[in-house]
Amino acid sequence: MILTLGLVSAIQTALIGGFAGYYLSESLYSEIGQRALMVAKTVAATPSIIAGIQQRDTSALNHLARTLAATNEALFIVIGDHQAIRLAHPSPDRIGHSMADDDGDDGHQALIGGQGYIARAVGNLGESMRGKAPVVAPQNGKIIGIVSVGYSVSQVNTTIQRYNFVLYGVVGVMLLISILAAVVIAGRFKQEIFGLEPEEIARLFQERNATLQSVREGIIAIDRDGIVTTVNRTALETLGLGADNQVAGQPILKVLPESDLLSVLQSGSPDFDREVWLRDRQMVVNRIPVWQGDDIIGVVASFRLADELDHVSQQLTRIQQYADALRSQAHEHSNKLHTIAGLIQIGAHSDALSLISREVVDHQTLIHLLLEAVPDPVIAGCLLGKYNRAREMGLHLDIDPDSQMIDIPHNLPRDQLVSVLGNLIDNALEATRKHTGEGGHVVLSMTDLGHELIFEVDDQGPGIDEGARESIFEKGMSSKEDSKDHGFGLYLVRQFLSRWGGSLTVENLSATGSRFTLYLPKTSGQSHGTRSTH
């Protein structure tokens, strides 16, 4: 940048200096020529010069010519008659010869045309600017002679060189200032672009585009005027705008009328994990203002479909439930095996056989119930795992023997249903253990009669205050002491109900505990949301 700006400045100043020098030279030459012509006309109108020509008094004319040349600082004054024969000349040997001998100019324009003119020629006295004027007799107006006044070009060149010295000095100073300005501008520009060179900026731009297109979240950025500056392919696909849609350069309210990016632009406050509806799709959005110093110059938003986040959360919940079930089952069987081994070692064979029989009967009863009432292996596996989990906690999970859950819609996501049911049972177990300690009971009953799937989960916990029955479904709300990683179970339940069109009632039992009743229509429909009953 310094070289480019310096070169441009040098060319500009050189052109300006050259033009100024040329214009100055031409102006001085013209001025000297006009001066010579003016002196020639003055001398030609002098009465003594006219009389000398008429009388052909060469001595008087030469004296007058020398005097007038010295007075007007002219190089020479030459006087000729009507035939351009010299009557006065600085060199006496030239007198009596034609004026055309010096430069080939016989004064025809002045002698015949009667007009004064300017000429540049080289004579025996050197190169000069000459002004020639006719001498006219006042008695009859006839042209009787010619006067030629010359100024040396070397005098003009000396003056031009003096002016050029000043001019080129100014040009040099201008060039130096231009180079210094280029250095300052380049330094300031480099500071604004964080010290990066152009090729580095180009590489970062390509990396930025590749990064934007590789991110699986939609990204949209606007400037301070609310104009879209950046949008990646995922954003276009997520919003259903089409991959070929030219969104960049358009106002954000034209692209997304329901967008709140302008409010973030005005407030300057970031917005994280906000659930919004964009183009009839539920999104989870993060919005961050972009600052430059103390000014907000834009906003960047990243978003993705809420279903994707819920799906990931539900998968993690399901994995955790399976892990808990396997862990509790392994732990329980390990304890039972140690107990049976101890009974055998002390010779209490009958007690060992009784314990084995009781364990086999309990599991066989549960398995038989599940096989008949819940033929779906995913749901049955979840309930078996929760049963073992309850026993590990010192609690009892009682499944109503009259329960039946056979007519489950094929399009109802099993993993989501397991996640919802598992969250309700886990919350009931935690509430029961916290309130009653070991020996507490959690009762589950299920029915698929009618047009809905109904699940009832009764616990022996402390119950739920009426004012808290809505807040327990908010993200991050938990009654556990360590709530950092809790408070998402009932939130996911509500999200599932919102999509499937189910409802959940919460009521306190007459004695102690609470009852959560889950209603799921066999055909997905409009969401009924959550409600509380007494």
Side-chain angles (χ1 to χ4, degrees), residues 217 273 275 283-286 303-316 475 491-492 499:
E217 286 195 349
D273 297 329
E275 294 185 16
M283 310 278 184
V284 177
V285 181
N286 295 292
F303 54 90
R304 69 189 310 162
L305 292 172
D307 292 346
E308 296 180 12
L309 296 177
D310 292 345
H311 181 66
V312 172
S313 300
Q314 289 163 358
Q315 284 184 327
L316 292 175
K475 182 187 293 187
Y491 168 77
L492 294 176
R499 289 192 302 271

Side-chain angles (χ1 to χ4, degrees), residues 243-320:
D244 298 329
N245 199 328
Q246 296 297 327
V247 174
Q250 298 186 31
I252 185 62
L253 292 182
K254 181 179 179 181
V255 179
L256 294 173
E258 59 272 57
S259 173
D260 288 333
L261 288 180
L262 293 182
S263 63
V264 178
L265 186 66
Q266 294 175 355
S267 65
S269 301
D271 200 1
F272 298 104
D273 297 329
R274 175 67 62 86
E275 294 185 16
V276 299
W277 285 87
L278 297 173
R279 297 179 66 86
D280 297 328
R281 302 182 182 187
Q282 190 175 14
M283 310 278 184
V284 177
V285 181
N286 295 292
R287 307 182 184 97
I288 300 177
V290 180
W291 294 84
Q292 187 177 43
D294 296 330
D295 299 326
I296 301 177
I297 61 173
V299 178
V300 177
S302 63
F303 54 90
R304 69 189 310 162
L305 292 172
D307 292 346
E308 296 180 12
L309 296 177
D310 292 345
H311 181 66
V312 172
S313 300
Q314 289 163 358
Q315 284 184 327
L316 292 175
T317 301
R318 181 180 174 185
I319 292 172
Q320 183 179 6

Side-chain angles (χ1 to χ4, degrees), residues 171-184:
V171 169
V173 173
M174 290 174 59
L175 179 60
L176 179 61
I177 293 175
S178 299
I179 294 175
L180 292 176
V183 173
V184 173

Side-chain angles (χ1 to χ4, degrees), residues 396-457:
H396 300 278
L397 175 59
D398 302 327
I399 300 177
D400 189 342
D402 295 328
S403 295
Q404 176 178 295
M405 190 56 60
I406 299 175
D407 188 17
I408 303 176
H410 67 279
N411 61 334
L412 178 62
R414 298 301 192 270
D415 57 341
Q416 297 183 24
L417 178 58
V418 166
S419 176
V420 170
L421 188 57
N423 279 318
L424 293 179
I425 295 175
D426 284 341
N427 289 339
L429 292 174
E430 290 288 345
T432 301
R433 184 177 65 171
K434 182 178 179 181
H435 188 64
T436 64
E438 295 186 0
H441 289 262
V442 172
V443 180
L444 170 65
S445 62
M446 304 171 288
T447 180
D448 58 359
L449 299 177
H451 299 289
E452 293 180 313
L453 306 179
I454 302 175
F455 299 85
E456 285 188 357
V457 181

